[in-house]
Amino acid sequence: QVQLVESGGGLVQPGGSLRLSCAASGFNLRQYVIGWFRQPPGKKREGALCVSRPEGDTYYRDAVRGRFTISRDNDKNTVYLEMNSLNPEDTGVYSCAAVVTDGILKVLEDDYDHWGKGTQVTVST
């Protein structure tokens, strides 16, 4: 059974950092694309913030490029999202999602088959 569990969210001050984890089970991470998504309060979930493909390349949305870093540890079946220079606009529920790779970059919510329940990130004073 494919399962994704996010952790690491919390309350952080503007300018601070957090590291989120997405623990995968029931499948081999080496065969899957993993994306991180965000749903701001009162809004729909946005397209992928970051994507990690098992082929080694990554994608970042402009709003987070240079501040967020996605990485994966295939031996631990875990994907990480390092977030720096956080601002209040980064507040939201962060979810990871997985889909089997087919060589194509996946940035849309509908591209993904499996989802975690999410972890709350709040950036505030």
Side-chain angles (χ1 to χ4, degrees):
Q1 179 180 357
V2 173
Q3 189 173 15
L4 298 167
V5 179
E6 303 91 340
S7 61
L11 173 64
V12 62
Q13 291 189 342
S17 300
L18 280 176
R19 188 175 84 152
L20 307 183
S21 298
C22 171
S25 60
F27 66 97
N28 187 342
L29 190 60
R30 291 177 173 83
Q31 299 173 339
Y32 279 74
V33 178
I34 302 294
W36 279 99
F37 292 77
R38 174 174 69 200
Q39 183 169 13
K43 297 182 179 180
K44 291 183 177 181
R45 187 154 51 198
E46 303 169 333
L49 297 174
C50 315
V51 175
S52 168
R53 299 207 308 138
E55 293 82 354
D57 54 327
T58 55
Y59 158 87
Y60 295 93
R61 173 179 280 200
D62 286 347
V64 303
R65 187 177 295 118
R67 299 189 299 123
F68 289 13
T69 303
I70 188 170
S71 61
R72 60 167 65 202
D73 185 332
N74 289 328
D75 292 333
K76 294 183 178 179
N77 240 31
T78 301
V79 177
Y80 303 98
L81 181 62
E82 186 77 35
M83 306 187 296
N84 299 310
S85 302
L86 287 163
N87 58 64
E89 289 71 37
D90 294 317
T91 294
V93 176
Y94 284 69
S95 302
C96 60
V99 64
V100 174
T101 186
D102 61 1
I104 300 174
L105 182 64
K106 311 290 188 184
V107 299
L108 301 177
E109 194 174 340
D110 289 345
D111 290 335
Y112 290 81
D113 296 326
H114 309 286
W115 291 82
K117 293 183 178 180
T119 184
Q120 176 70 43
V121 171
T122 302
V123 184
S124 175
T125 55

